[in-house]
Amino acid sequence: MHAKSIDIRTFASADTLPTIELFRNTVHVVGKDVYSKEQLSAWAPADIDAEKWKSRLAGAFTIVAWRSDKIVGFANLLDDGCVDLLYVAADHQGQGIASALLKTLENEATRRGVKKLYSDVSLTARKFFLAKCFVIEKEYSKKLRDVEFPNAIMGKVIG
Ligand SMILES: CC(C)(COP(=O)(O)OP(=O)(O)OC[C@H]1O[C@@H](n2cnc3c(N)ncnc32)[C@H](O)[C@@H]1OP(=O)(O)O)[C@@H](O)C(=O)NCCC(=O)NCCS
């Protein structure tokens, strides 16, 4: 199916649990050939605090992609141009959903006068951001719950 059939809306409180579930499942399924179990559990642990998650998403420009009444992806933009979260359901990968989400974030950033988008990108998303004309600005080892991750800061000038 093509991304044309998705609907993008802004985040609502009722999306809290479905987005947590999508996040956890995507990380563990899409990341399983790239990361160790220890890394996957540090990235997307079983005990995500729903209230903190809701505040994080509600406190940013957060959008949710829907198809057939199901959330199939979500993303958010911080005030400084950071693409903080970008996740697509494991069974909807490669259908242009992240492209549609990023386009919406980019349009919003442009509307706000933000000059550059950037993201702290995991190995599982590097090729996506390269395909979207982001460049690697810094490669580094990120520590999350005492576990190391090879990450990269990637950026793209917009507007
Ligand atoms: C990265 C991610 C969001 C991409 O979502 P997606 O909906 O599958 O991406 P799209 O279908 O819109 O792909 C867009 C482009 O990126 C390319 N791309 C995406 N993932 C790719 C991969 N793993 N390898 C190679 N190319 C990839 C596609 O070929 C496509 O190129 P095109 O526009 O030239 O045709 C998704 O794989 C994901 O959820 N990954 C796990 C979570 C994650 O790492 N999130 C980012 C946190 S920093």
Side-chain angles (χ1 to χ4, degrees), residues 75-96:
N76 71 0
L77 174 74
L78 306 187
D79 290 344
D80 67 351
C82 178
V83 177
D84 182 33
L85 299 164
L86 175 63
Y87 291 85
V88 168
D91 56 353
H92 283 73
Q93 298 274 313
Q95 299 177 17

Side-chain angles (χ1 to χ4, degrees), residues 87-158:
Y87 291 85
V88 168
D91 56 353
H92 283 73
Q93 298 274 313
Q95 299 177 17
I97 294 171
S99 301
L101 287 165
L102 184 65
K103 187 78 205 145
T104 305
L105 295 187
E106 189 170 330
N107 288 345
E108 176 65 13
T110 303
R111 197 187 65 77
R112 293 177 178 192
V114 172
K115 300 282 183 246
K116 187 181 154 188
L117 293 180
Y118 73 95
S119 190
D120 189 355
V121 177
S122 59
L123 292 175
T124 44
R126 202 175 276 202
K127 285 182 178 158
F128 168 79
F129 280 101
L130 286 172
K132 297 296 158 190
C133 303
F134 280 66
V135 295
I136 296 175
E137 296 180 348
K138 184 176 99 172
E139 295 201 60
Y140 77 110
S141 183
K142 175 179 181 166
K143 216 170 193 185
L144 205 57
R145 295 177 186 87
D146 286 332
V147 181
E148 299 277 349
F149 288 82
N151 262 40
I153 304 295
M154 297 181 71
K156 178 187 174 185
V157 175
I158 59 166

Side-chain angles (χ1 to χ4, degrees), residues 32-46:
K32 73 177 185 322
D33 296 331
V34 179
Y35 294 105
S36 68
K37 278 200 171 136
E38 190 192 26
Q39 286 173 314
L40 295 175
S41 298
W43 186 359

